[in-house]
Amino acid sequence: MIQQERMIVVRQSEIAHHIFELTLQGQIVQEMNPGQFVHIRVSDSFEPLLRRPISIANINKEAGEVTVIYRAEGRGTSILATKQVGDEVDVLGPIGNGFPVDAIPEKGTALLVGGGIGVPPLYELSKQLNARGIRTIHVFGFATENVTFYEDQFSTLGDTHFVTVDGTKGTKGFVTDLLEELKPEFDVFYSCGPLPMLRALENFYPDKPGYLSFEERMGCGIGACFACICKTTEQQEKDYVKVCSDGPVFPKGVVQL
Amino acid sequence: MIQQERMIVVRQSEIAHHIFELTLQGQIVQEMNPGQFVHIRVSDSFEPLLRRPISIANINKEAGEVTVIYRAEGRGTSILATKQVGDEVDVLGPIGNGFPVDAIPEKGTALLVGGGIGVPPLYELSKQLNARGIRTIHVFGFATENVTFYEDQFSTLGDTHFVTVDGTKGTKGFVTDLLEELKPEFDVFYSCGPLPMLRALENFYPDKPGYLSFEERMGCGIGACFACICKTTEQQEKDYVKVCSDGPVFPKGVVQL
Amino acid sequence: MSKLSIQLPGLDLKNPIMPASGCFGFGREYAQLYDLSKLGAIMIKATTVEKRLGNPTPRVAETPAGMLNAIGLQNPGLDKVMSEELPWLERFDVPIIANVAGTLTEDYVEVARRISTAPNVKALELNISCPNVKHGGITFGTDPVIARELVEAVKAVSKVPVYVKLSPNVTNIVEIAQAVEIGGADGITMINTLVGMRLDERTGKPVIANGTGGLSGPAVKPVAIRMVYEVYKAVEIPIIGMGGVTNTQDVIDFMSAGASAVAVGTANFVDHFVCSNIIDELPAKLKELGVTHIKEIIGRSHR
Amino acid sequence: MSKLSIQLPGLDLKNPIMPASGCFGFGREYAQLYDLSKLGAIMIKATTVEKRLGNPTPRVAETPAGMLNAIGLQNPGLDKVMSEELPWLERFDVPIIANVAGTLTEDYVEVARRISTAPNVKALELNISCPNVKHGGITFGTDPVIARELVEAVKAVSKVPVYVKLSPNVTNIVEIAQAVEIGGADGITMINTLVGMRLDERTGKPVIANGTGGLSGPAVKPVAIRMVYEVYKAVEIPIIGMGGVTNTQDVIDFMSAGASAVAVGTANFVDHFVCSNIIDELPAKLKELGVTHIKEIIGRSHR
Ligand SMILES: Cc1cc2nc3c(=O)[nH]c(=O)nc-3n(C[C@H](O)[C@H](O)[C@H](O)COP(=O)(O)OP(=O)(O)OC[C@H]3O[C@@H](n4cnc5c(N)ncnc54)[C@H](O)[C@@H]3O)c2cc1C
Ligand SMILES: Cc1cc2nc3c(=O)[nH]c(=O)nc-3n(C[C@H](O)[C@H](O)[C@H](O)COP(=O)(O)OP(=O)(O)OC[C@H]3O[C@@H](n4cnc5c(N)ncnc54)[C@H](O)[C@@H]3O)c2cc1C
Ligand SMILES: Cc1cc2nc3c(=O)[nH]c(=O)nc-3n(C[C@H](O)[C@H](O)[C@H](O)COP(=O)(O)O)c2cc1C
Ligand SMILES: Cc1cc2nc3c(=O)[nH]c(=O)nc-3n(C[C@H](O)[C@H](O)[C@H](O)COP(=O)(O)O)c2cc1C
Ligand code: FES
Ligand code: FES
């Protein structure tokens, strides 16, 4: 159930260039699943006005803590980056349908493909897949070395490969270049990242089941305002889906890419 | 000269109910005089948009510190009240023409009459008058006991009398009731407070020289926008004065009351 | 709570607070958060004869103390609204105000005729901010004659009172308000959004795919208050005010200016419990103002 | 700094940044803060034939990300502006744009005729947001015919190019822009303030003594950008854009939408060095955008 809660900042740090890791404590953590997101109000004033959707990167139900990882670039996320331990943050969540952890056969292998700030939700996903005994392969693309993060964290969970556009870390190029080279064996792929990456991936693995997480500008974040619509493919019965409440994760082939 | 400076909060505390004492450090303190004010931007965002005019209550040129005392009631002052030691505050100042400390004969007596949040500028004034060897009598009106402040500070400078509307501290009633009773002997009066008080005072001492500090809603705070106009009395050559740049202090008889 | 009750044509409101059209869908999502029976009324998303898929995305953009939207009246169409959305809403004890849109007078008439028969639809809200294709795309709500004629046509078929939602993008809103009053409107709702635009900082192109969007949120409140104030002086029919309401004080402000009830739009996206919270806070606010019934606030700016 | 220079009718601008009329007086106060020769131009406070004392106070009120003002065109009158203010401004190397106001066409004509002879006045800005007493108080700027006739009358006497300042409180701003272009306007400045109101929270009465006031500041920027964008497509004459500019990015946005230069109003009250700071920051911003001369930005939204 979606709730609105004033969560408490328990940790915040800059883990890469303009990339922040923020841990919040509160009741609503108990309801969270990988691939869902929270809708964060960064200020109690009306400037900026709208909430910011941010993916859930790490869930710790015992401690009642959730970690998000975000790039502080625009007006809202820059304000979020100033929050200090003990501050309250107004969070609406958890929202949406996340990654299906059980969409993969037992002892199977999952390919997790992330791009930039699309990588965070794959961390909790990978943790939960590993907990189910699934092998995970991580292939992540970033613009450049100084915006990469969580290499150690992912490496303890499975094979982890980085690719950067400028070649400053790992292979040079895009994730598909690396996949071409690695030719990983797997059962299901899960992905989150920029649209061109999702598109390339769908074309790259036409025969594999996959789940993609989408981004769209949001208003309400709960399905009421029709801001975050994606057109569906012709095979679908519905003409459109809402990223916030129907997604953000959809099986491949649902959303028109 | 008016300057814009990011001053540093060195102290802030609530000294009465919703009444805050804030001390800021910066270069512009060197230029300050009693009765002038500073124009404070309470937030770097545009919400709230306008600066807040606040009187200078205490100047410490050696330490480069200025103290202001304000009531945190509206949107802007409430934000100001959250500033913590070390925070920066954007201050424009010092602004306007303050109280003339030398408008009184040597060894003379000054009557300082303040109402509520009009009391603060009289503190620096009293300090400077006392430094010149002037005797000061302080008569201050407040709504109720829990919004009074600086009794000790003023008492060390001269006779200090409080009056409250509800009688919870000092005499019950208005400053004029108390003046009726005290019948103080003095040479010049200085006053800051609500308009009805200033009006009553002008009528009360028709034969004494006096200086009154005015309030008006402000835009620019420096004389450019014509927001803070007061009509002048018929005796004046100019039709109007600007509270920000011509005032906030005017000799009695200048402003139409 | 009877000190909050308001009677308006067709509407028996427990309290004067209702979500604005387009900001609350058909209620399903917010029903997850709180009991919709608490609300004074619900203004549902614009309904058109045929389903509409709306504009390309991005459809929203943030602006200083406001937002732009160009949803494009996306809705499932009259049939589905009648067969699925309205019956679902019947579980709540709350009157529904159906927002009616179209591009031809016939569209409005068709939606009004049928939707006004739904048992829980207690009033219509004519969204006259749509471009009228017959008159070369000129917006219904910007011409007093076209607006009046539309109201007359809808009034002729509607089984419930008709409120007309005014566009603020006009030189003289009083003229439009008087025209729809003459046309037979039972009430006025105002304001709809101001037309605005935001550009992408890097490319300089409009952020919203549609180019322009409708500005809403706190930024527009001064314009909305001014318009409610002006229209209140000029018409006899009641006004439901909106535009930038985010808290209880804003409700008092709109009612002071002359609104008999108040709708909350954009603020539902920022504080998802805002309508519910305002309803809880109103009694204390009335006490603070020394008022025994909220009706006494209506139009006090003018007294 | 020549990568910032802009040539417009009558105006040789070092850079496209100028304070907006009414927000900078006649320059004296801001001259205490920085060298006015740095500015592209200065739009001085509205000047009328006779001195005006303006409206009662309070004249300003704060609103979400904006403010209302009802100064009421207070100014010392044409004689004093000619004999004291303009000569004083001659010490700076900066073109002056004289904002001209009145309530009769004759008033505008008289001010325009005389003020356009001042050596440093390089252009006029006709403030057509004033009510026209002859036409029953209808604002000059809301009727295309009245607006065009006013421009024709002023053009007939002015010795310098005439820019017309458009009011945003109209149904169709393009129509007004085209009318003043036909009337002979050399350029357009836009937008003036939106009419708004704020109520006192306790009493419910308007905060501003005048009742309504003009809304300015960041809140109105989306409306201003939309209008500049629309007018740019419809006229050939250049536009000086304004409405909510607070920083360098806002300047880029207005120029992208089609403005050839940009005026900064309310922001001068918030950051008193804003014009000077923007001028300093523009070169780096152009570099960031990969542009060699600021002209290349003008109208890029449309390309
Ligand atoms: C489901 C979902 C999950 C996301 N998860 C993450 C995450 O884990 N980490 C992360 O860094 N980012 C994530 N994003 C993107 C993040 O929401 C935007 O980067 C952020 O909203 C930008 O806000 P700002 O204040 O920095 O920028 P501004 O420029 O101030 O934003 C202006 C407006 O545009 C919206 N906006 C701008 N960019 C985007 C975008 N890419 N997607 C949606 N809205 C946008 C903002 O929400 C705001 O309403 C996610 C987006 C979605 C939809
Ligand atoms: C020269 C001068 C000196 C002042 N000195 C002091 C002081 O030392 N201590 C103190 O507590 N107050 C002082 N005031 C009053 C103080 O400026 C206001 O209380 C304050 O601006 C209110 O801001 P807010 O954010 O609390 O209220 P809001 O309601 O958010 O204010 C909204 C707008 O109205 C303006 N405003 C509201 N009340 C006043 C007022 N009384 N005078 C001028 N503008 C107002 C605000 O500046 C702001 O622009 C002084 C005012 C002036 C003109
Ligand atoms: C996302 C969104 C969708 C809207 N859709 C509609 C609509 O379908 N019909 C309508 O009459 N108004 C619509 N509106 C306008 C609102 O009902 C309301 O008039 C306007 O937003 C001003 O109120 P606010 O500032 O409280 O949002 C919409 C507004 C928003 C923000
Ligand atoms: C206090 C104030 C006074 C103004 N006076 C005038 C004026 O005399 N003549 C005029 O044409 N515009 C006047 N304006 C309008 C501004 O020039 C400008 O068009 C408007 O404020 C929008 O710009 P901004 O949002 O940057 O302030 C005034 C604006 C303010 C805030
Ligand atoms: S953000 Fe409102 S429907 Fe998705
Ligand atoms: S506040 Fe602008 S002239 Fe005084």
Side-chain angles (χ1 to χ4, degrees):
Chain A
M1 214 189 75
I2 301 174
Q3 282 171 278
Q4 194 171 304
E5 184 177 11
R6 290 189 77 84
M7 299 185 82
I8 308 293
V9 175
V10 292
R11 272 185 303 284
Q12 161 126 283
S13 61
E14 188 170 358
I15 56 172
H17 184 64
H18 287 171
I19 308 286
F20 288 76
E21 182 192 47
L22 168 67
T23 302
L24 298 164
Q25 194 178 48
Q27 297 295 332
I28 60 176
V29 173
Q30 303 309 324
E31 311 260 344
M32 294 182 176
N33 290 309
Q36 290 187 303
F37 67 96
V38 287
H39 213 23
I40 301 183
R41 186 169 175 192
V42 301
S43 155
D44 288 336
S45 97
F46 294 103
E47 192 41 22
L49 186 68
L50 297 175
R51 289 174 181 269
R52 270 37 182 183
I54 305 285
S55 299
I56 292 166
N58 192 5
I59 305 167
N60 180 341
K61 293 201 181 174
E62 292 77 57
E65 292 178 1
V66 60
T67 298
V68 296
I69 296 169
Y70 62 94
R71 179 166 54 217
E73 227 189 351
R75 221 157 40 126
T77 49
S78 301
I79 293 174
L80 191 59
T82 66
K83 301 285 172 192
Q84 285 163 5
V85 173
D87 285 353
E88 285 182 1
V89 179
D90 181 341
V91 177
L92 186 81
I95 306 183
N97 298 305
F99 291 111
V101 179
D102 48 11
I104 188 164
E106 266 184 65
K107 313 226 155 145
T109 299
L111 173 66
L112 276 54
V113 185
I117 209 60
V119 170
L122 301 178
Y123 182 61
E124 179 63 29
L125 173 67
S126 184
K127 269 175 50 196
Q128 297 205 10
L129 288 171
N130 275 280
R132 270 196 63 224
I134 305 293
R135 194 181 143 227
T136 56
I137 306 171
H138 313 117
V139 178
F140 300 148
F142 289 93
T144 184
E145 204 253 332
N146 76 356
V147 296
T148 62
F149 52 86
Y150 267 36
E151 183 171 17
D152 293 350
Q153 284 88 330
F154 278 105
S155 297
T156 62
L157 295 169
D159 289 353
T160 300
H161 309 271
F162 282 70
V163 44
T164 51
V165 178
D166 63 2
T168 44
K169 184 177 184 85
T171 321
K172 180 179 165 129
F174 296 98
V175 286
T176 40
D177 298 330
L178 186 59
L179 290 170
E180 192 86 68
E181 190 188 309
L182 291 173
K183 299 208 193 324
E185 296 275 325
F186 67 94
D187 301 290
V188 178
F189 67 88
Y190 296 91
S191 184
C192 183
L195 223 55
M197 190 193 90
L198 300 182
R199 202 178 284 129
L201 210 63
E202 249 197 54
N203 295 332
F204 206 78
Y205 295 120
D207 305 324
K208 296 278 190 181
Y211 296 89
L212 312 175
S213 183
F214 289 81
E215 282 190 8
E216 195 48 79
R217 303 257 169 165
M218 293 191 178
C220 67
I222 65 168
C225 77
F226 293 93
C228 66
I229 294 307
C230 285
K231 282 218 180 106
T232 48
T233 55
E234 267 142 44
Q235 294 81 55
Q236 300 297 309
E237 208 186 303
K238 288 185 74 175
D239 306 303
Y240 65 89
V241 286
K242 297 172 188 166
V243 169
C244 68
S245 52
D246 299 328
V249 176
F250 297 98
K252 88 172 210 213
V254 170
V255 172
Q256 226 179 77
L257 276 169
Chain B
M1 214 189 75
I2 301 174
Q3 281 171 279
Q4 195 171 304
E5 184 177 10
R6 291 187 78 83
M7 300 184 82
I8 308 293
V9 175
V10 292
R11 274 186 301 285
Q12 161 126 281
S13 62
E14 188 171 357
I15 57 172
H17 184 64
H18 286 171
I19 308 285
F20 288 75
E21 182 191 48
L22 169 67
T23 302
L24 298 164
Q25 193 177 48
Q27 296 295 332
I28 60 175
V29 172
Q30 303 310 324
E31 311 260 344
M32 294 182 176
N33 290 309
Q36 291 186 302
F37 68 96
V38 287
H39 213 25
I40 301 183
R41 186 169 176 192
V42 301
S43 155
D44 290 335
S45 98
F46 295 103
E47 193 40 23
L49 185 67
L50 298 174
R51 290 175 180 269
R52 273 31 183 186
I54 305 285
S55 298
I56 292 166
N58 191 5
I59 306 167
N60 180 341
K61 292 201 180 174
E62 293 77 58
E65 291 178 2
V66 60
T67 299
V68 295
I69 296 168
Y70 63 94
R71 178 166 54 217
E73 227 188 352
R75 222 158 37 128
T77 49
S78 301
I79 293 173
L80 191 58
T82 66
K83 301 287 172 189
Q84 284 164 5
V85 173
D87 285 353
E88 285 183 1
V89 179
D90 182 341
V91 177
L92 185 81
I95 305 184
N97 298 305
F99 291 110
V101 179
D102 47 12
I104 190 164
E106 266 184 63
K107 315 225 155 151
T109 300
L111 174 65
L112 276 55
V113 184
I117 210 60
V119 170
L122 301 177
Y123 182 62
E124 179 63 29
L125 173 67
S126 184
K127 268 175 50 196
Q128 297 206 10
L129 289 171
N130 275 279
R132 271 196 63 224
I134 306 293
R135 195 179 142 230
T136 55
I137 306 170
H138 313 118
V139 177
F140 300 148
F142 289 93
T144 185
E145 203 253 332
N146 74 356
V147 295
T148 62
F149 52 87
Y150 266 37
E151 183 172 17
D152 294 349
Q153 284 89 331
F154 278 104
S155 297
T156 62
L157 295 169
D159 288 355
T160 301
H161 309 271
F162 281 69
V163 43
T164 51
V165 178
D166 63 1
T168 44
K169 184 177 183 82
T171 320
K172 180 178 165 130
F174 296 98
V175 285
T176 40
D177 299 328
L178 186 58
L179 289 170
E180 193 86 68
E181 191 188 308
L182 292 173
K183 300 207 193 320
E185 296 276 324
F186 66 94
D187 300 291
V188 178
F189 67 88
Y190 297 91
S191 184
C192 183
L195 223 54
M197 191 193 89
L198 300 181
R199 201 178 286 131
L201 210 61
E202 249 197 51
N203 295 332
F204 206 77
Y205 294 120
D207 306 323
K208 295 277 190 183
Y211 295 89
L212 312 175
S213 182
F214 289 82
E215 282 190 8
E216 196 46 80
R217 304 256 168 165
M218 294 191 177
C220 67
I222 65 169
C225 77
F226 294 93
C228 65
I229 294 306
C230 285
K231 282 218 181 105
T232 47
T233 55
E234 267 142 43
Q235 295 80 53
Q236 301 297 309
E237 208 186 306
K238 288 185 75 175
D239 306 304
Y240 65 89
V241 286
K242 297 172 188 165
V243 170
C244 66
S245 52
D246 299 327
V249 176
F250 296 98
K252 87 171 210 214
V254 169
V255 172
Q256 224 180 77
L257 276 168
Chain C
M1 289 280 263
S2 83
K3 68 170 74 135
L4 298 184
S5 66
I6 296 278
Q7 275 71 44
L8 295 178
L11 299 167
D12 223 336
L13 307 175
K14 286 186 211 69
N15 60 66
I17 307 304
M18 58 190 82
S21 179
C23 302
F24 211 75
F26 295 93
R28 288 182 195 266
E29 296 77 18
Y30 285 89
Q32 302 168 267
L33 303 181
Y34 59 87
D35 179 4
L36 303 189
S37 301
K38 189 173 179 181
L39 296 167
I42 296 175
M43 293 167 141
I44 56 174
K45 177 77 192 154
T47 300
T48 52
V49 179
E50 304 296 336
K51 84 170 173 207
R52 287 183 54 137
L53 291 179
N55 292 321
T57 56
R59 293 176 170 189
V60 294
E62 197 177 48
T63 69
M67 67 174 280
L68 295 168
N69 89 80
I71 305 296
L73 299 181
Q74 176 156 19
N75 78 92
L78 181 57
D79 285 345
K80 275 247 170 99
V81 171
M82 296 285 293
S83 64
E84 291 176 14
E85 303 300 342
L86 288 169
W88 183 85
L89 276 165
E90 279 180 45
R91 71 193 61 191
F92 302 105
D93 171 28
V94 62
I96 305 299
I97 302 176
N99 189 273
V100 174
T103 46
L104 291 170
T105 305
E106 295 86 278
D107 302 337
Y108 282 94
V109 168
E110 172 70 1
V111 177
R113 192 177 56 75
R114 288 178 50 204
I115 211 165
S116 66
T117 62
N120 51 349
V121 169
K122 303 298 183 192
L124 304 186
E125 180 183 40
L126 288 197
N127 179 352
I128 61 171
S129 300
C130 312
N132 178 342
V133 290
K134 272 230 185 114
H135 287 82
I138 178 177
T139 308
F140 280 98
T142 59
D143 183 290
V145 176
I146 300 176
R148 199 196 64 224
E149 286 171 2
L150 180 69
V151 176
E152 286 166 353
V154 168
K155 273 297 285 182
V157 301
S158 176
K159 312 219 166 29
V160 296
V162 175
Y163 292 69
V164 181
K165 182 157 185 181
L166 302 188
S167 161
N169 303 289
V170 296
T171 308
N172 185 348
I173 197 157
V174 165
E175 185 184 72
I176 312 283
Q178 288 171 331
V180 303
E181 183 177 36
I182 292 169
D186 299 283
I188 283 170
T189 68
M190 61 189 292
I191 59 174
N192 213 317
T193 53
L194 279 161
V195 183
M197 183 182 279
R198 179 174 168 177
L199 302 179
D200 182 84
E201 309 202 335
R202 224 174 30 77
T203 65
K205 302 267 185 267
V207 167
I208 291 202
N210 186 51
T212 60
L215 182 64
S216 63
V220 309
K221 189 188 148 193
V223 175
I225 290 280
R226 183 265 294 183
M227 290 183 164
V228 169
Y229 184 94
E230 286 178 351
V231 167
Y232 178 79
K233 287 194 292 189
V235 301
E236 298 292 320
I237 51 179
I239 299 168
I240 301 177
M242 70 194 85
V245 173
T246 63
N247 60 35
T248 307
Q249 182 61 50
D250 292 336
V251 170
I252 300 296
D253 291 351
F254 270 90
M255 295 187 77
S256 300
S260 295
V262 174
V264 184
T266 305
N268 289 293
F269 307 163
V270 181
D271 173 2
H272 288 62
F273 289 83
V274 63
C275 290
S276 171
N277 290 342
I278 290 175
I279 294 165
D280 291 341
E281 286 172 23
L282 271 174
K285 179 59 96 175
L286 294 184
K287 206 166 192 181
E288 200 184 305
L289 293 169
V291 151
T292 50
H293 193 287
I294 196 160
K295 274 185 215 163
E296 300 162 38
I297 296 287
I298 301 170
R300 71 179 173 136
S301 305
H302 305 268
R303 290 193 289 264
Chain D
M1 289 281 263
S2 85
K3 69 170 73 135
L4 297 183
S5 66
I6 296 278
Q7 275 71 44
L8 295 178
L11 299 167
D12 222 338
L13 307 175
K14 288 185 209 72
N15 60 67
I17 306 304
M18 58 190 82
S21 179
C23 302
F24 211 74
F26 295 93
R28 288 183 194 264
E29 296 77 18
Y30 284 89
Q32 302 169 266
L33 303 182
Y34 59 88
D35 180 5
L36 304 189
S37 301
K38 188 173 179 182
L39 296 166
I42 297 175
M43 294 167 140
I44 56 173
K45 176 77 193 156
T47 299
T48 52
V49 179
E50 304 297 335
K51 84 171 170 202
R52 286 183 55 137
L53 291 179
N55 292 321
T57 56
R59 295 176 170 188
V60 295
E62 198 177 48
T63 69
M67 67 174 280
L68 295 168
N69 88 81
I71 305 296
L73 299 181
Q74 176 156 20
N75 78 92
L78 181 57
D79 285 345
K80 275 247 170 100
V81 171
M82 295 286 292
S83 64
E84 291 176 14
E85 303 301 340
L86 287 168
W88 184 84
L89 276 165
E90 279 181 45
R91 72 193 61 192
F92 302 104
D93 172 27
V94 62
I96 305 299
I97 302 176
N99 189 273
V100 174
T103 46
L104 291 170
T105 305
E106 295 85 279
D107 302 337
Y108 283 94
V109 168
E110 171 71 0
V111 177
R113 193 176 55 77
R114 289 179 48 205
I115 212 165
S116 67
T117 63
N120 52 349
V121 168
K122 304 298 184 192
L124 304 186
E125 181 183 40
L126 287 197
N127 179 352
I128 60 172
S129 300
C130 312
N132 179 341
V133 289
K134 273 231 185 111
H135 287 82
I138 178 179
T139 307
F140 279 97
T142 59
D143 183 290
V145 176
I146 300 176
R148 198 196 66 225
E149 286 171 1
L150 180 68
V151 176
E152 285 166 353
V154 167
K155 272 299 285 182
V157 301
S158 176
K159 312 222 165 27
V160 296
V162 175
Y163 291 70
V164 181
K165 183 156 182 181
L166 303 188
S167 161
N169 304 291
V170 295
T171 308
N172 185 348
I173 197 157
V174 165
E175 187 184 71
I176 313 282
Q178 288 170 330
V180 303
E181 183 177 38
I182 292 168
D186 299 284
I188 283 171
T189 68
M190 61 191 291
I191 59 173
N192 213 319
T193 53
L194 279 161
V195 184
M197 183 182 278
R198 179 176 166 175
L199 302 179
D200 182 86
E201 309 201 335
R202 224 175 29 77
T203 67
K205 302 268 185 268
V207 167
I208 291 203
N210 185 51
T212 60
L215 182 63
S216 63
V220 308
K221 189 187 149 195
V223 174
I225 290 279
R226 184 265 294 183
M227 289 184 164
V228 169
Y229 185 95
E230 285 178 352
V231 168
Y232 178 81
K233 286 194 291 188
V235 301
E236 298 291 320
I237 51 178
I239 299 167
I240 301 176
M242 71 193 85
V245 173
T246 63
N247 60 34
T248 307
Q249 182 62 50
D250 292 336
V251 170
I252 299 297
D253 291 350
F254 270 89
M255 295 186 78
S256 300
S260 295
V262 175
V264 184
T266 304
N268 289 294
F269 307 162
V270 181
D271 173 2
H272 287 61
F273 290 83
V274 63
C275 290
S276 171
N277 290 343
I278 289 174
I279 293 166
D280 292 340
E281 286 171 23
L282 271 173
K285 180 60 96 176
L286 293 184
K287 206 166 193 182
E288 200 184 305
L289 293 168
V291 152
T292 51
H293 193 287
I294 196 160
K295 274 185 216 165
E296 299 161 39
I297 297 288
I298 301 170
R300 72 180 173 135
S301 306
H302 304 266
R303 290 192 288 266

